[in-house]
Amino acid sequence: MRLKKSVKEKVYIAIVESENGEESRLIIPSTSINNAAKLARNHKNVTRVIKVKSTHITQ
């Protein structure tokens, strides 16, 4: 029996501040870090983007 090969997908995690002052994280599948930051800024209830970093999700 063969094991299934896991798939790694590159995503960006944006740490943002919401309208009520809470800090939260958004997982954004995007092509570049600049694109991910722009998508995070345009997300509803987000007042500012604190940090964007890349990571991999294994499925």
Side-chain angles (χ1 to χ4, degrees), residues 5-14 26-30 53-59:
K5 195 173 187 181
S6 62
V7 177
K8 282 188 176 180
E9 187 177 340
K10 187 174 184 179
V11 295
Y12 294 93
I13 296 179
L26 296 173
I27 298 175
I28 303 169
S30 184
K53 59 184 181 179
S54 79
T55 187
H56 288 88
I57 291 181
T58 306
Q59 294 180 343

Side-chain angles (χ1 to χ4, degrees), residues 16-37:
V16 298
E17 185 179 305
S18 59
E19 288 177 346
N20 58 2
E22 291 181 2
E23 195 174 287
S24 59
R25 291 181 170 84
L26 296 173
I27 298 175
I28 303 169
S30 184
T31 55
S32 72
I33 197 162
N34 292 332
N35 239 3

Side-chain angles (χ1 to χ4, degrees), residues 13-16 49-53:
I13 296 179
I15 302 170
V16 298
V49 177
I50 299 168
K51 186 178 185 180
V52 178
K53 59 184 181 179

